Amino acid sequence: MSDFFKQLLKQINDIWNRLNRGQKIITAAVITLTFIGLIVLIVWVGYNGKSGNYTPLFSNLELSESASIVEKLKESKIEYQIENDGHSILVPKKSVYEMRMTFAKMGLPKSGGIGYELFDKTNLGMTDFVQNLNFKRALEGELARSIESLDEVDRARVHVVIPKETIFIEKQKNATASVVLKLRPGIKLNEKQVTGIANLVAYAVEGLQRKSITIMDTEGNLLSDAYGDSELAERTSSQLQLQQKVEQAMARKALEMLESVLGPNKSQVKVSVDLNFEQITKTQEIYDPTSKVVRSEERNEESTANSPQGDEKRENSITNYEMNKTVQNIIGEVGSIKRISISAAVDGIYETDKEGKRNYVARAAEEILKLEELVKRAVGYDLQRGDQ
């Protein structure tokens, strides 16, 4: 075996002696880098092998809660790691579920708020004030948990004010609520989602109306309805949104029609729609004079005998007719189209001459008329309605 190594070293020495100075430098550098790479790989595999045994115990913690949990882990002599600037705590995989149950028994973490489990323990000496305060805390905690279940919300805090009941109706105050949301990075709530959160809180608290709820994010931006108690302003906002949706839908139809003929990026379409938001109720009574039916008839007969003028006989008849009547209650459609205004621009044709230069050529008038007819059909153009 020793002869084998001697022969191997001799061959390596012979190869090394045959190399020039530059080749020796390159070979030495490659061997050195390979050795350093092996050392780094061994260290990296060892570190990952050690950290791979750890799993998150809790994430997105407040620093005060992280400090409390770390203190408990030290007392229990449980190994741990801290990540995410102290907001995440990792423990060995074999201990994670046991630790979670242990901390749940201690009421940690408290970031999610305390819910109705606050009443799991009965206290006979509890006063009405403490009972009402605990109920409010539990209600706020349950609402925060429900809001945090949304994918877009990272944290939520809910503050509810429930006034005391009074026998005087005019002095009774309404309940109010405030919601603070910490959204996930890069996420914004749309108007429907904000309204949904407001309705969730309103229907969970007795006597709370949606207009009495304020919703804001952690950056101080007001997310709830900016119109307050003004129903007229809220209705106007909804009407403007409906008008914009109708205009965008019509413009998209017309643009798709033009692009199917001209190709992409060859046309632009803008549509302005005038909607009728007046709700008119009409009641019409229509009588048909050509058709009549006898409703009632009255006949009176009088006879006189042995009078100086002789015998007399009188007859009176009264006939009441009923004509056919049609009663119509017509409720006008809200949001119907009163008029459409369309503006469309199309690009011309570019022709290349013999010199390779592109020249702009306007489209023929007949082609423009055909394209105009396509746009009119796409949006439902009606000349009698006053469209233009």
Side-chain angles (χ1 to χ4, degrees), residues 100-118:
R100 286 178 181 174
M101 289 187 290
T102 302
F103 284 112
K105 187 177 181 181
M106 299 179 184
L108 292 174
K110 300 180 180 179
S111 299
I114 300 176
Y116 289 127
E117 66 272 10
L118 187 63

Side-chain angles (χ1 to χ4, degrees), residues 325-344:
K325 180 178 69 172
T326 303
V327 180
Q328 295 180 348
N329 292 322
I330 303 174
I331 300 177
E333 184 181 358
V334 179
S336 59
I337 298 176
K338 294 173 61 177
R339 187 178 61 180
I340 302 175
S341 299
I342 314 164
S343 299

Side-chain angles (χ1 to χ4, degrees), residues 78-133:
I78 301 296
E79 296 182 356
Y80 64 90
Q81 292 181 358
I82 298 177
E83 292 185 354
N84 193 19
D85 298 331
H87 295 284
S88 299
I89 300 177
L90 287 73
V91 297
K93 289 183 178 179
K94 61 181 181 180
S95 306
V96 60
Y97 296 111
E98 182 182 356
M99 287 294 98
R100 286 178 181 174
M101 289 187 290
T102 302
F103 284 112
K105 187 177 181 181
M106 299 179 184
L108 292 174
K110 300 180 180 179
S111 299
I114 300 176
Y116 289 127
E117 66 272 10
L118 187 63
F119 297 100
D120 291 344
K121 296 181 180 180
T122 58
N123 189 350
L124 299 178
M126 186 179 299
T127 62
D128 292 340
F129 174 78
V130 176
Q131 184 80 7
N132 294 332
L133 182 61

Side-chain angles (χ1 to χ4, degrees), residues 208-222:
L208 179 60
Q209 300 180 2
R210 186 167 65 88
K211 63 182 180 180
S212 301
I213 301 173
T214 301
I215 303 175
M216 61 181 296
D217 59 14
T218 51
E219 297 180 357
N221 299 318
L222 182 64

Side-chain angles (χ1 to χ4, degrees), residues 14-24 27:
D14 293 339
I15 294 173
W16 178 261
N17 292 330
R18 287 198 299 267
L19 298 177
N20 56 31
R21 183 178 180 182
Q23 291 174 338
K24 290 181 179 180
T27 303

Side-chain angles (χ1 to χ4, degrees), residues 190-219:
N190 56 41
E191 185 176 352
K192 290 184 178 180
Q193 291 173 319
V194 175
T195 303
I197 294 175
N199 288 334
L200 170 67
V201 177
Y203 288 114
V205 181
E206 184 180 359
L208 179 60
Q209 300 180 2
R210 186 167 65 88
K211 63 182 180 180
S212 301
I213 301 173
T214 301
I215 303 175
M216 61 181 296
D217 59 14
T218 51
E219 297 180 357

